[in-house]
Amino acid sequence: TVQVIITDIEASNGVIHVIDAVLLPPAAMPESEAPGAAAPMGPMAYDPTMAYLRVAHLAADAPAVDIYIAGELSGIQGLEFPNVTDYVGVPAGTYNIGVAPAGTSAADAVIGPINYELQPGTFYTLAAIGRLDAGTLTIQVIRERYAELAEGQARVGVFHAIPDAPAVDIRLADGTVLVEGLAFANGRSFSSGF
């Protein structure tokens, strides 16, 4: 699980949060560390017929949550803001997912249940975003790209999950723009920078 260790660093064009680990795509990991290797379902190697899923709790004013799949409590329980689970390999297909306050039931879901189609060989982050007090909690599905990279290349994924913050630009120290005008992910106008 990746933890946010520093929050609310104000920058000239937005707010930054710092995480305590580097999130590597599967091609960059040794097989023993492939997505799902430490998942609740037990050790597993990357399998292109499976879908890989993780959940991110990015709703600052929402309590810890439990994830329900097809009305059943999953292994993802008590997930607190601002944590992100490890990837879990699941058979590709359609999943009915609900998010409920920790310790309650599927009937108490504050998001969903909603059906999500998970494609084989694909990595997804289901990000709980929005504000509880504003009634805007939702799940933003982030389909991540992990195609092979050329030697010496790197991939950086950026996701804007702060509802009240303006669009931001992501720049290197030398001023090179990596992502420009990245706005809060709100459904159809979602822009991940991936």
Side-chain angles (χ1 to χ4, degrees):
T1 302
V2 175
Q3 302 275 330
V4 175
I5 57 174
I6 302 173
T7 61
D8 303 322
I9 300 170
E10 292 192 31
S12 63
N13 63 350
V15 178
I16 300 169
H17 301 297
V18 179
I19 60 175
D20 67 352
V22 176
L23 303 173
L24 295 174
M29 295 180 189
E31 189 169 315
S32 64
E33 295 179 25
M41 294 169 47
M44 67 181 84
Y46 174 73
D47 177 344
T49 66
M50 301 285 280
Y52 292 88
L53 175 70
R54 66 181 175 178
V55 179
H57 186 324
L58 304 177
D61 71 337
V65 297
D66 294 338
I67 306 300
Y68 286 84
I69 300 175
E72 298 294 322
L73 184 61
S74 75
I76 302 171
Q77 300 174 27
L79 182 62
E80 297 178 325
F81 172 82
N83 294 312
V84 180
T85 68
D86 292 328
Y87 284 105
V88 175
V90 297
T94 301
Y95 289 85
N96 182 268
I97 299 174
V99 180
T104 64
S105 71
D108 298 310
V110 292
I111 302 174
I114 303 169
N115 288 328
Y116 294 98
E117 176 90 22
L118 304 179
Q119 298 294 319
T122 305
F123 290 78
Y124 298 90
T125 298
L126 299 184
I129 62 169
R131 299 185 56 90
L132 180 63
D133 64 358
T136 59
L137 284 180
T138 190
I139 292 178
Q140 180 66 56
V141 179
I142 305 167
R143 186 174 177 168
E144 300 172 47
R145 295 188 313 224
Y146 288 125
E148 293 228 12
L149 294 171
E151 182 72 26
Q153 296 289 308
R155 178 178 291 110
V156 175
V158 181
F159 179 76
H160 189 324
I162 307 168
D164 301 326
V168 298
D169 295 338
I170 309 299
R171 300 175 188 269
L172 297 177
D174 68 2
T176 302
V177 176
L178 296 179
V179 180
E180 187 172 17
L182 182 63
F184 171 68
N186 61 355
R188 296 179 199 270
S189 64
F190 166 65
S191 172
S192 69
F194 283 96

